[in-house]
Amino acid sequence: MNKQGVKIPMLTRVSTQSDLSAPLPLIDSHAHLDFSEFDHDRAALFKKMHTKGITQVLIPGVSEAHWHKQIRVAAQYDCPFALGIHPWFCGSQSQHSVSKLRQLLLEHQQQKRLVAIGECGLDKLHKSNFTTQLSLFKAQVMLAKEFELPLIIHCVKSHEEVLKQLKCSNNPKAGVIHGFSGGPELARRYLQLGYKLGIGGLLLNDSAKKLQRTVAELPLSAFVLETDSPAMAPKNSENPRNTPLILPLLLKKIASLQKKTNVLISKQLYLNVSQLFDL
């Protein structure tokens, strides 16, 4: 039951041959449902998600200015969350923000809903200073190891730098490479370090041949589902605002690429994300 007194059902079983109409249980490992784009219909969206079998949504952090609302929304809807500084926000952040992040982690470290550090990482296509990005990313990699939490990593045109930091830190909890879009060769380098790959709406685009080959060739244990809502809507989406409601489409696409049943795919992906974030 959330703070508004609305009871939210938790679906835990997988469909069987005798109950093919039941929705398959799904977890969105990355959705910014605390953002203002959801302020007008957040409660209704959560209700609809649960009717579709979407049992949980992990809400990642992006900046100091967002953390408190994010934590409030996560508490209201009983969502797991991560705390971090996104590379797009590094221009307005500093080592002082890292100190505040560490203090917030200390305050919430006994709370089961805190499950990761992030979203953090590197983005060479963004205007924020790359040296500052790298400094804040290194600091968050260290925090993940200190608090024994997995990382949620944003990486654009910076894979060599990210891989270098991950190799140096050797975090036993590893984490996920959010919004992965690369080919099998790059994917295997992350898998060798124990990281999983976040697969989102890009997979549904006909032009995403490289990512589709990765999903087809790599073991199913390598992936977790995500949407990055409200961003990253598939090209053929009727709504520019992305939501976790596309998860069944992602599940179906992965099943097609892997040539396996939806039920088998659902079970493994649910296990992957549950184990990674200790849900």
Side-chain angles (χ1 to χ4, degrees), residues 159-180:
H159 290 290
E160 295 305 322
E161 291 88 347
V162 166
L163 283 161
K164 180 180 178 181
Q165 293 305 316
L166 299 184
K167 287 177 184 176
C168 291
S169 72
N170 193 28
N171 181 2
K173 294 290 186 178
V176 59
I177 309 305
H178 154 60
F180 188 79

Side-chain angles (χ1 to χ4, degrees), residues 228-255:
D228 202 18
S229 302
M232 299 300 290
K235 287 182 180 178
N236 61 352
S237 174
E238 296 179 358
N239 192 337
R241 184 190 74 165
N242 198 13
T243 78
L245 295 175
I246 71 165
L247 288 182
L249 296 177
L250 288 172
L251 173 67
K252 184 177 179 181
K253 184 66 174 180
I254 293 174

